[in-house]
Amino acid sequence: GFDIDHAMGVDIKRFREYLGADLKEVRESFRARGDDENIVDSIVEADESWRKAIFELEKIQSEVNHLGKQIGKLKKQKLEAKELISQVSALKGKKKALESSTSQKRAELDKLLNNVGNWVHKSVPVGTENKQIRTWGKFTTQETSKTTDTKKIRSHAELLAMIDGFDPKRGCEVGGLRGYFLKGYGMLLNHALQAYAIRFLVQRKYIPIQPPTMIRKSVMTKVAQLRTFDEDLYQVVGGKEDMYLAATSEQPLCALHANESLPSSELPIYYCGHSTCFRKELTSHGVDASGVFRVHQFEKVEQFAVCSPDKSWEILEQLLATSEKFYQSLNIPYQIVNIASKSLSKAAAKKYDLEGWFPSQGCCRELVSCSNCTDYQSRALQVRFGYAQMGMAHTSKRLQHVHMLNSTLCASQRTLCCLLENCQTSAGIRVPEPLVIYVGTSFIPFVHKEPPSASPGSGNKGGKKKKKSRRKDARD
């Protein structure tokens, strides 16, 4: 089962100076995230208060045990024990009252701990400015396209319409705002990206896995930030219990090994998660309203790794490198950025974004989010390791929490948008070589020479340059 009362992701020992904790480092991490440093003092005080209460409880229980033994001896000797029995009764009453107070103190401590983010890694840029690490590929612009067979750069929304690849009007009528039908080559390209992404990871020894789409509230509480519940998540009502639709396969995969102790010999484990994802996508009116860049329902292939703490930073770079190779194989230009500390989710100690180049907008947009969440999620879900085989005695080996990492490989609708813009010509779309086997052709000709009018309620035309922003994207 899942105990939602103790879902914190940080180790309370990091706040205990008597155990060697460095509160200076803790405060630095709070400052880096832009969090209130006074919370550190509040946690230290709440922890001390709770531990004192626990000590008093143990002291009372020790007295009860001691008196119990004395009462036993007196009864064996058939002597009077009323006074001692009265003392035990009084102590038990005192204990019951103290237990209630102790539970309340623990609840207050947990509430504070649940709002603490993961410890920010020293390599993360402090503040709000992301740091560009590297770029790859040729960044085509409206100017440079004049020397190619493209002539005029069009947006992904226009290109989808010109290949007759989607129907936003009927999509909105059936599925509501941001609803869509992908059809023809639009559907085939979207499916091709998913199939190729899965094959790409399976060839690298990832375990393919399709997780549940609906997640119990008791589980979601531990794998998603509470603030995202109303902002991002769809709730399923009418069943026997509260359920939520997964916003990413990372969420159910985090809980795959909940309350388990994994043999050390099995680590690291690499999963290739494939799922349909659902997000409310609450944005300003008209932002990314054209095409399928930002939609409520999308498919995603996710990298998810479970490993020992000493391997997680090396594996973070591996996951990023795998994503880079995938986009290089599709010839999609991109930049890698190290995300600034104030933009990190609470679970992430460090995050890279791979941002694909969108020629029509003249900027890079997020395609991949690659994070090391260290033991933040595994603590909440009690996923540990530390002995060679299940069932073996493990008294000589201390159980530790595993580290968990996640990285998008391909959010297919979003990747489709970037692919269309970078593979456009004056006559149609070049299909990247790895996708030809799935699409059935190496070139998709335009059905319409000019794009139909912008999608209903878009608020802006597909080709209009979008104002740059660093809003947290929904593919994380």
Side-chain angles (χ1 to χ4, degrees), residues 263-415:
S264 302
S265 59
E266 288 187 7
L267 302 180
I269 306 171
Y270 296 92
Y271 289 111
C272 163
H274 179 226
S275 63
T276 299
C277 307
F278 301 89
R279 287 264 180 155
K280 286 184 180 178
E281 293 288 16
L282 301 178
T283 61
S284 300
H285 178 71
V287 174
D288 292 323
S290 298
V292 293
F293 183 84
R294 192 183 297 282
V295 287
H296 297 307
Q297 175 186 326
F298 58 95
E299 284 71 49
K300 187 166 72 155
V301 177
E302 180 90 2
Q303 302 179 73
F304 191 85
V306 181
C307 67
S308 56
D310 61 318
K311 297 291 184 183
S312 68
W313 294 107
E314 176 187 339
I315 289 175
L316 177 67
E317 302 299 327
Q318 288 177 9
L319 298 184
L320 180 62
T322 298
S323 291
E324 288 192 68
K325 287 173 185 174
F326 178 77
Y327 287 93
Q328 288 172 13
S329 73
L330 297 173
N331 202 30
I332 291 178
Y334 63 80
Q335 68 175 359
I336 301 296
V337 293
N338 188 354
I339 299 301
S341 58
K342 289 187 178 180
S343 297
L344 292 175
S345 69
K346 285 198 177 295
K350 182 176 182 178
K351 180 165 87 87
Y352 290 117
D353 276 1
L354 183 152
E355 299 179 342
W357 175 249
F358 282 76
S360 73
Q361 300 176 24
C363 66
C364 290
R365 306 292 301 279
E366 180 194 326
L367 298 181
V368 169
S369 171
C370 182
S371 304
N372 187 355
C373 296
T374 62
D375 60 358
Y376 194 88
Q377 294 162 324
S378 63
R379 282 186 180 280
L381 293 157
Q382 287 302 298
V383 186
R384 298 178 291 183
F385 78 102
Y387 51 99
Q389 271 182 269
M390 300 296 282
M392 285 184 63
H394 51 270
T395 52
S396 61
K397 295 188 178 181
R398 180 174 171 267
L399 287 173
Q400 299 180 63
H401 290 95
V402 299
H403 277 198
M404 292 180 172
L405 303 93
N406 64 85
S407 175
T408 317
L409 186 70
C410 177
S412 59
Q413 280 82 347
R414 183 164 288 197
T415 303

Side-chain angles (χ1 to χ4, degrees), residues 221-255:
T221 303
K222 293 193 172 188
V223 299
Q225 293 178 213
L226 290 174
R227 68 169 181 79
T228 70
F229 272 51
D230 293 327
E231 182 181 329
D232 294 331
L233 302 178
Y234 284 104
Q235 187 172 11
V236 181
V237 298
K240 291 183 178 179
E241 61 179 312
D242 290 338
M243 305 287 282
Y244 287 88
L245 294 178
T248 166
S249 60
E250 173 201 344
Q251 291 165 346
L253 288 176
C254 277

Side-chain angles (χ1 to χ4, degrees), residues 441-453:
T441 183
S442 60
F443 188 79
I444 301 170
F446 289 137
V447 175
H448 306 289
K449 289 185 178 180
E450 290 293 327
S453 59

Side-chain angles (χ1 to χ4, degrees), residues 448-466:
H448 306 289
K449 289 185 178 180
E450 290 293 327
S453 59
S455 58
S458 65
N460 66 318
K461 291 190 176 182
K464 189 173 180 180
K465 188 170 180 180
K466 177 185 176 296

Side-chain angles (χ1 to χ4, degrees), residues 159-175:
L159 295 166
L160 260 179
M162 290 168 74
I163 65 171
D164 197 25
F166 84 140
D167 188 335
K169 183 176 184 298
R170 292 188 179 97
C172 287
E173 289 172 356
V174 174

